Amino acid sequence: MITGSNKLDRHRIFDTTDMPTQWGTSYLYSPKSQADSSLVASLRKAGAILIGKTVSTKLAYFTPGKTRNPHDLKRTPGASSSGSAAAVADGMSRAAIGSQTAGSIIRPASFCGVVGFKPSADLIPSSGVKAFSKSLDTVGWFTRNIHDCALLFDAATQRQHNTDLPKSALATLRVNALIEIENIPLDNDVRALLKKSFYTLKKATARTAEIQESQLFCKLINVQKCIMAYEASRTLVHEFQFYKNSMGKELVDIIQLGAAIDLPEYLDALAFRDHALHTLTHTFFNQADILIAPSTIGEATVGLNTTGDPVYCRPWTLLGLPCLHLPTGKGSHGMPIGIPLIGKPKEDLKLLSSALSIVQLEDFKLTCLTGEANEH
């Protein structure tokens, strides 16, 4: 199922033939589309039932919508796929779809305590989805367990012979860990969870190594911001021209920032991304099957005027790597926290297979709003 809200405003950014789309705004409205977005069409073909649409942030960026975190109504659910993550966490639906340009699947999955999956870049078509940054936009989804996540992957890719995925043998799995980037400190509970997870995998898998690449990852974060701002300013020309005063400060700021970036700087950013991906693929990604790293700096923040910081998601989105968030713990205030598993480019099936084995470990048991998620 694809989840929904009973509100008739600020509907998500996916086109559908039978429900309105409002892209998180009060000034844009389409009563229905001539065609479903590609992901919606594929899920319907596989038998999914569209029961509604959820609230998005404005044009899928930082300006919050009305959704609250079901674990604590005073806290943000994250963004931009806030309504989708919150609805799955609250048990309103078995699954929900969303999109990520910086951290808009992994961050709300972490804040709301659900499984969040961002596939490899360009693996699943994003046609019929409101664009923000063509190089970074990726569609994905939220579920309450890994099996449902794999089920949606089969439907979205129309994978043939879609029998149950085999579990990867933990004894042969190679894992790298990025515990923390220098000058981007984590909350103590997130850092402790990552270290505990790393030591658990160190005992159960073939090889583990902690990587120290803070300077590189800081550069990747800045490059992601540059590409996103440049492309958003060129994508949202119409909206900015006619609705600037209604867009919200966050959107206006990034469009103005992007407009000040010239073509050579943008092309240099793309070239650095490609070079970094090539280098990393032949270094620590050649030495490991998956990487674990922070999903967020900490628990969902208090207040509904912010959606949290996607800083730790930016490098993987920039590089187009598949990411799978596992809700495996709680922070000092009782809110969900977890870790993402990050795979090699286009090795989404390997990542899902690895996750099926990893969640059998005691320290990786999934927890949701209503208790432990069923993995069988």
Side-chain angles (χ1 to χ4, degrees), residues 14 28 46 53 71 149 192 202 218 274 277 301 328 337 339 369:
F14 289 79
L28 300 174
K53 290 190 175 183
H71 295 263
C149 184
K202 191 172 185 177
C218 284
D274 295 343
L277 179 58
T301 52
T328 58
I337 55 175
I339 64 166
L369 186 61

Side-chain angles (χ1 to χ4, degrees), residues 208-268:
T208 56
E210 184 175 350
I211 59 175
Q212 305 289 340
E213 297 281 354
S214 289
Q215 185 174 359
L216 171 61
F217 288 111
C218 284
K219 175 68 173 177
L220 291 174
I221 289 166
N222 290 330
V223 167
Q224 190 275 340
K225 291 179 179 179
C226 172
I227 293 173
M228 184 172 69
Y230 179 94
E231 293 183 349
S233 69
R234 276 71 177 176
T235 300
L236 302 176
V237 174
H238 172 83
E239 291 83 355
F240 188 73
Q241 181 178 359
F242 290 99
Y243 304 109
K244 175 183 176 181
N245 293 334
S246 302
M247 292 183 80
K249 183 180 185 301
E250 296 86 353
L251 272 166
V252 171
D253 286 350
I254 192 172
I255 291 172
Q256 291 178 333
L257 176 65
I261 299 171
D262 62 11
L263 181 60
E265 183 179 355
Y266 168 67
L267 294 176
D268 285 346

